[in-house]
Structures are given as C-alpha cells and as structure tokens.
Amino acid sequence: MPPVKHFYILGLGSFGGALAKQLHKNGCRVTGVDSSRERVEEIKDDLYEAIIADATDYDTLQHLSLKDANGVFISMGEDISPSLLATLHAKELGAKRIIVKGVSHDHGKLLKSLGVERVIFPEAEIAATLADRMTWPNIIDFLPIDPEYSFMEVAVPDGMIGKSLMQLNLRQQYGVWVVGVKDPMTGKLEMFPDGGYSLGVDQLLLVVGKQSSLEQLRNQV
C-alpha cells in the first residue's frame, strides 16, 4: 500500500475546515493549526493532530515537519498579512508544496513572488464553475491538461443520439477527438471507439482538443 499522505492546514476557518474534513474522508492525515480553540474543537475528529496556536508564529511552525509534508495549505482570513507571513515562514522551513487561499489579485501576485505552488480563490472558482454549468448544462466536466489543450466530458445531446461517430465527424466539424464514451448507468467506458460506434441516450462523450475547438463544441450542445 502507498504511504498515507500528510497535509498541514494553517487556518481552520470555513475553507480550511472544509478542506480538512474532505482530506480526512480521502484517507489522509491532517494536522490543523489555528489560534481559535473553538475552531479546532469543531473539527478535531477529522484531524490527525490538532494544534491551538498562532500559525504565523515561526517558533510554532518550526516544531512541525512542514518540509516532510505532502502539502501545506494556508487560509488565514481576509487580512493578507497573516497569510503572507505564514507563507514566508513555511518556505523558510522547507515546505515543498504550498497552496494559499488568495484574498485579492495583488495578494495573489505577492504570494506567487514568494514561490507558492498555487493561489486559489474559492468563491471565484465556484462561481465560474456554477455559471458555466448553468450556461452549458450538457458539459459535465472540463479538465485543462496544458495551456492549449483540455479534456471535456459532454452529455450526448438529443441531436446526436442514434448517430455514429463517423456521421457526426466531430474531428472535422470542431477539431476535437473522441477518446471515450461512458454509460453512467452501467459504469461501462468504451475507450477509443471506432467510427461505427452509435451514441445512445444518457451517454457521456469524453473529448480532447484545443480550448478554442472545445468552446465551439460547447456552444453547439
């Protein structure tokens, strides 16, 4: 079995607490640090190690094995100073993967300059995902694989049901490749179906292509 992953979360507010709970569900060990006893008590059952302390304090952090962690998450509220200070200390203490909840664009730029792996803006990311799903309900999932190409999972629209992939010719029409067809009812996945494969009701298409090509397809379904 692979070793159990161990993460540190500095700041156990609404985002940090939710993250701790999900990591715990995923079978990971989570060390949570927050100065609020109430916050720590609220999720202590989801923590491998619960620490009531100031997560911006260098002396506190140096007693933790941040350099050995699979990741360090920092979520310190709406004041940018604590998260910048905690990030600086984590970098100095050898943390390899640091993910920080951003407050503003400028805050994000400062964090990037400190060398964090990723700055996240949960509200903006959730809002963008929700807006996209409401606008294009047939798009189930979207996964960028590099700056130019992405995977997209699409619910087969009514106009494609009963037609073969050769008839649809999505590669010529939109410049995308069909790499799989999934039946969510049975869980069966047909990888790299040939041109004679006919699409059925409630199936999902897994396609890959350039962002511009996927946007073209998205606007048609």
Side-chain angles (χ1 to χ4, degrees), residues 23 60 118 130 133 142 154-155 164 172 196 211 221:
L23 287 170
T60 295
R118 184 180 173 194
L130 179 60
R133 292 201 171 181
F142 187 82
V154 187
S164 70
Q172 184 174 337
Q211 312 287 10
V221 300

Side-chain angles (χ1 to χ4, degrees), residues 6-7 9 14 19 25 35 42 48 70 89 94 102-103 120 133 154-155 160 162 167-168 172 174 194 198 209 214:
H6 187 184
F7 296 95
I9 301 179
S14 56
L19 182 61
K25 283 183 183 178
S35 58
E42 189 176 335
Y48 171 72
N70 294 100
H89 292 336
V103 175
I120 56 173
R133 292 201 171 181
V154 187
M160 291 186 184
Q167 286 176 297
L168 294 169
Q172 184 174 337
Y174 304 107
D194 60 30
S198 293
L214 293 173

Side-chain angles (χ1 to χ4, degrees), residues 34-53:
D34 199 293
S35 58
S36 167
R37 179 178 294 275
E38 183 181 353
R39 287 178 179 173
V40 174
E41 286 288 329
E42 189 176 335
I43 64 163
K44 66 180 181 181
D45 292 340
D46 298 300
L47 298 175
Y48 171 72
E49 186 179 23
I51 299 174
I52 302 170

Side-chain angles (χ1 to χ4, degrees), residues 121-179:
F121 298 92
E123 293 86 354
E125 292 182 18
I126 291 171
T129 299
L130 179 60
D132 285 349
R133 292 201 171 181
M134 293 299 288
T135 306
W136 300 289
N138 275 39
I139 307 304
I140 308 301
D141 205 359
F142 187 82
L143 177 64
I145 52 179
D146 78 359
E148 195 172 1
Y149 286 87
S150 294
F151 281 108
M152 190 165 74
E153 194 174 46
V154 187
V156 174
D158 292 344
M160 291 186 184
I161 294 172
K163 295 182 179 179
S164 70
L165 293 176
M166 186 180 294
Q167 286 176 297
L168 294 169
N169 202 359
L170 299 179
R171 182 175 176 182
Q172 184 174 337
Q173 279 202 68
Y174 304 107
V176 302
W177 286 261
V178 177
V179 296

Side-chain angles (χ1 to χ4, degrees), residues 37-87:
R37 179 178 294 275
E38 183 181 353
R39 287 178 179 173
V40 174
E41 286 288 329
E42 189 176 335
I43 64 163
K44 66 180 181 181
D45 292 340
D46 298 300
L47 298 175
Y48 171 72
E49 186 179 23
I51 299 174
I52 302 170
D54 181 0
T56 67
D57 180 60
Y58 185 87
D59 289 337
T60 295
L61 298 181
Q62 72 174 341
H63 288 97
L64 307 178
S65 300
L66 299 185
K67 63 183 178 62
D68 299 320
N70 294 100
V72 177
F73 297 94
I74 299 174
S75 176
M76 308 289 286
E78 297 304 308
D79 184 354
I80 70 172
S81 299
S83 67
L84 288 171
L85 190 55
T87 300

